[in-house]
């Protein structure tokens, strides 16, 4: 490892001493790209170092209460930077089970793109932000596909491009916002509550063991999950509820519209193409209320056998 660090330092020294004035514009741009690619790849090395320090409990053995505190003191970086590095390692690093078996990164395609030097920290942040907004109810296959799409786009686009694509993907995966649950709302508030592991001797929360436990639990959840197509069968119906005032398409691969059509006899459900659809007009809310009251009067008449003469 020392040899690699020496070579890295020598390479940086060489770049600092190299003249730039004699470079053409195209050559200068290529140097910019090369340096940026190397810096991005170095982030992957940082993830490996954070993972290794956590898995061997280096922070605790060195007297620090968390990996974040270790990074702040050893690297003399800000708390925000340290937190971001630990979070990135959690998402993109290769962690190991207690048996020593490697586990794939939480965001494998994103991790691969960064290891290739094609994406930077801001790309990763945009991808992570979008992925965290995907509801738990979305199937594992769809989630993996979304991450792959964003990582592929990030290789050739800007972080802003990734952010916009993330919005479109979320709209596709959860078009009406109905898949969110309490877990998603808690996550959006920025509060994450999970299982904690404690040191059996001191009963103090062991952050490193907690990170490993959460990674294993996440893998278990992935194995228990079901494809979105199977999940959807539990909720998808062939038509809208009868009491729902509706206008629009219903279901996949259809050229017909479903609508509530109001006649003199009350609302009726119709289904046809746009060309054959009758003119749909929403009645006055007061008319609907009067009709409901008249229906209730008729029900009472039938129940009690009393006729009421009403003026038309």
């Amino acid at each position: 490892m020392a040899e690699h660090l020496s070579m890295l330092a020598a390479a940086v020294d060489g770049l600092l001493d190299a003249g730039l004035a004699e470079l053409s514009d195209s050559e200068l741009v290529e140097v910019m790209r090369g340096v940026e690619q190397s810096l991005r790849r170095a982030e992957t090395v940082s993830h490996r170092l954070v993972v290794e320090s956590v898995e061997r409990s280096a922070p605790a053995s060195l007297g620090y209460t968390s990996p974040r505190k270790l990074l702040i003191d050893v690297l003399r970086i800000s708390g925000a930077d340290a937190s971001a590095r630990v979070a990135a390692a959690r998402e993109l690093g290769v962690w190991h089970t207690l048996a020593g078996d490697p586990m794939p990164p939480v965001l494998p395609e994103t991790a691969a793109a960064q290891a290739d030097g094609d994406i930077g920290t801001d790309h990763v942040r945009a991808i992570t932000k979008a992925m965290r907004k995907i509801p738990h109810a979305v199937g594992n296959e769809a989630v993996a596909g979304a991450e792959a799409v964003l990582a592929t786009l990030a290789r050739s686009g800007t972080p802003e491009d990734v952010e916009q694509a993330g919005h479109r993907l979320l709209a596709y995966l959860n078009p009406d916002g109905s898949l969110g649950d309490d877990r998603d709302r808690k996550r959006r508030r920025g509060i994450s509550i999970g299982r904690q592991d404690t040191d059996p001797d001191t009963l103090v929360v062991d952050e490193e063991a907690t990170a490993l436990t959460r990674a294993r639990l996440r893998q278990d959840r992935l194995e228990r999950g079901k494809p979105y197509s199977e999940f959807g069968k539990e909720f998808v119906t062939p038509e809208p509820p009868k009491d729902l005032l509706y206008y629009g398409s219903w279901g996949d691969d259809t050229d017909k519209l479903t609508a509530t059509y109001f006649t003199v006899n009350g609302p009726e459900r119709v289904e046809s193409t746009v060309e054959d659809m009758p003119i749909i007009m929403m009645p006055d809310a007061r008319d609907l209320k009067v009709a409901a009251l008249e229906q209730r009067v008729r029900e009472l008449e039938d129940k009690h056998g009393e006729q009421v003469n009403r003026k038309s």
Side-chain angles (χ1 to χ4, degrees):
M1 185 61 70
E3 179 182 357
H4 293 303
L5 287 174
S6 297
M7 295 173 62
L8 177 61
V12 173
D13 289 339
L15 289 172
L16 290 173
D17 295 337
L20 301 177
E22 65 272 14
L23 296 178
S24 65
D25 291 348
S26 60
E27 290 173 335
L28 182 64
V29 169
E30 286 303 312
V31 172
M32 288 182 178
R33 288 174 175 165
V35 171
E36 182 65 21
Q37 185 178 40
S38 296
L39 292 175
R40 291 171 173 178
R41 297 189 67 196
E43 291 293 327
T44 303
V45 179
S46 176
H47 303 333
R48 292 189 61 201
L49 293 171
V50 171
V51 171
E52 179 65 24
S53 69
V54 171
E55 291 187 334
R56 67 166 61 183
S57 299
S61 63
L62 295 174
Y64 298 98
T65 58
S66 68
R68 175 178 175 273
K69 294 291 182 62
L70 170 68
L71 295 180
I72 292 173
D73 189 50
V74 173
L75 303 182
R76 293 178 290 108
I77 59 178
S78 68
D81 190 5
S83 296
R85 296 191 189 195
V86 173
R90 186 180 301 118
E91 302 284 342
L92 305 180
V94 177
W95 296 79
H96 301 81
T97 64
L98 294 178
D101 298 323
M103 296 184 294
V106 176
L107 302 176
E109 297 298 328
T110 305
Q114 189 176 53
D116 292 339
D118 289 339
I119 67 174
T121 302
D122 287 340
H123 292 95
V124 173
R125 187 177 295 112
I127 294 173
T128 303
K129 182 179 179 181
M131 296 302 296
R132 288 177 178 171
K133 291 182 179 180
I134 297 178
H136 285 86
V138 175
N140 296 332
E141 294 181 3
V143 172
E147 191 256 336
V149 168
L150 294 176
T152 300
L153 172 64
R155 287 179 181 267
S156 58
T158 66
E160 289 77 13
D161 294 333
V162 176
E163 185 174 357
Q164 293 176 7
H167 293 316
R168 293 194 294 271
L169 272 175
L170 288 171
Y172 171 77
L173 295 173
N174 189 19
D176 58 0
S178 62
L179 296 181
D181 55 22
D182 287 339
R183 292 173 299 173
D184 299 311
R185 284 184 282 274
K186 288 180 179 179
R187 184 173 53 176
R188 285 194 292 270
R189 292 190 203 110
I191 299 176
S192 179
I193 302 175
R195 175 178 173 180
Q196 307 293 327
D197 271 8
T198 59
D199 187 299
D201 297 325
T202 64
L203 298 183
V204 174
V205 172
D206 188 329
E207 296 192 20
E208 293 76 20
T210 296
L212 288 173
T213 300
R214 288 178 175 174
R216 289 196 299 271
L217 291 176
R218 179 183 183 278
Q219 191 64 35
D220 291 340
R221 290 196 300 272
L222 291 175
E223 294 175 358
R224 295 196 306 268
K226 63 177 64 175
Y228 180 70
S229 57
E230 295 181 11
F231 171 81
K233 293 178 181 178
E234 302 176 9
F235 301 94
V236 175
T237 58
E239 63 176 339
K242 293 295 184 181
D243 58 344
L244 177 65
L245 302 181
Y246 188 84
Y247 182 89
S249 60
W250 188 270
D252 298 328
D253 301 326
T254 178
D255 58 353
K256 292 185 177 181
L257 296 177
T258 300
T260 303
Y261 176 56
F262 288 87
T263 68
V264 293
N265 297 319
E268 296 180 0
R269 178 62 53 77
V270 294
E271 181 179 327
S272 69
T273 60
V274 175
E275 294 79 9
D276 298 330
M277 179 67 68
I279 297 176
I280 304 297
M281 297 184 64
M282 294 296 293
D284 191 302
R286 293 169 295 183
D287 293 336
L288 293 177
K289 183 63 175 179
V290 169
L293 292 174
E294 290 180 342
Q295 177 62 30
R296 180 57 178 163
V297 169
R298 284 191 290 269
E299 293 174 356
L300 293 174
E301 288 175 350
D302 295 337
K303 180 178 180 180
H304 299 288
E306 180 180 352
Q307 297 296 320
V308 178
N309 295 323
R310 297 180 296 274
K311 295 181 179 180
S312 59

